[in-house]
Amino acid sequence: MNREILTEQANGGDVQAMIQLGRDFASENNFFDAAEWFDKAADTGNVYAIDMAMRVNAVNANMLHTMGLWERSCNTWSKALNYASAYEVIAREMM
C-alpha cells in the first residue's frame, strides 16, 4: 500500500497502519521513524507494537550511544525498558 495512504490511516488512529509504517521504515533500516510509529501503536496497548517498540528503541539507543549522544541514548533506553516492563506484565496476564 502507498505510504501516503498508510500515513493518513495511521494519523486517523488505524493501529494496523501504524504497525505497517513501523515495519516499512524498519525494513529500510530507518529505525528512528520506525520507533515513532511503533511507539504510537504501542500506546494503544497492541502487544505486537509494544514488543516492536521495545526492540527498535533498543536499536536506536545503541546507535545514539555510538554517536556520542549520551542523554538521548539514556532517554531512549529508558523508553525501551518501559516497553519491556509493559510487555512482561501483559505476558504474565496471559498465563
Side-chain angles (χ1 to χ4, degrees):
M1 183 178 290
N2 175 319
R3 185 168 286 166
E4 187 176 312
I5 293 170
L6 273 176
T7 302
E8 188 177 307
Q9 292 173 337
N11 285 329
D14 184 331
V15 176
Q16 292 307 312
M18 293 175 199
I19 290 170
Q20 187 58 52
L21 284 167
R23 285 182 186 145
D24 289 351
F25 283 116
S27 73
E28 298 166 2
N29 293 326
N30 182 344
F31 298 109
F32 291 102
D33 285 340
E36 177 184 341
W37 288 108
F38 284 130
D39 288 351
K40 287 179 182 184
D43 288 344
T44 71
N46 181 286
V47 177
Y48 175 79
I50 291 170
D51 180 53
M52 292 307 296
M54 172 186 63
R55 293 170 190 271
V56 294
N57 279 293
V59 168
N60 288 342
N62 281 329
M63 285 192 294
L64 290 166
H65 179 81
T66 301
M67 295 164 59
L69 301 171
W70 315 117
E71 186 175 345
R72 280 187 65 197
S73 176
C74 288
N75 291 339
T76 305
W77 267 118
S78 178
K79 187 186 293 188
L81 291 171
N82 286 336
Y83 284 125
S85 295
Y87 189 80
E88 183 180 359
V89 167
I90 292 168
R92 282 187 191 159
E93 290 174 357
M94 294 175 74
M95 293 180 152

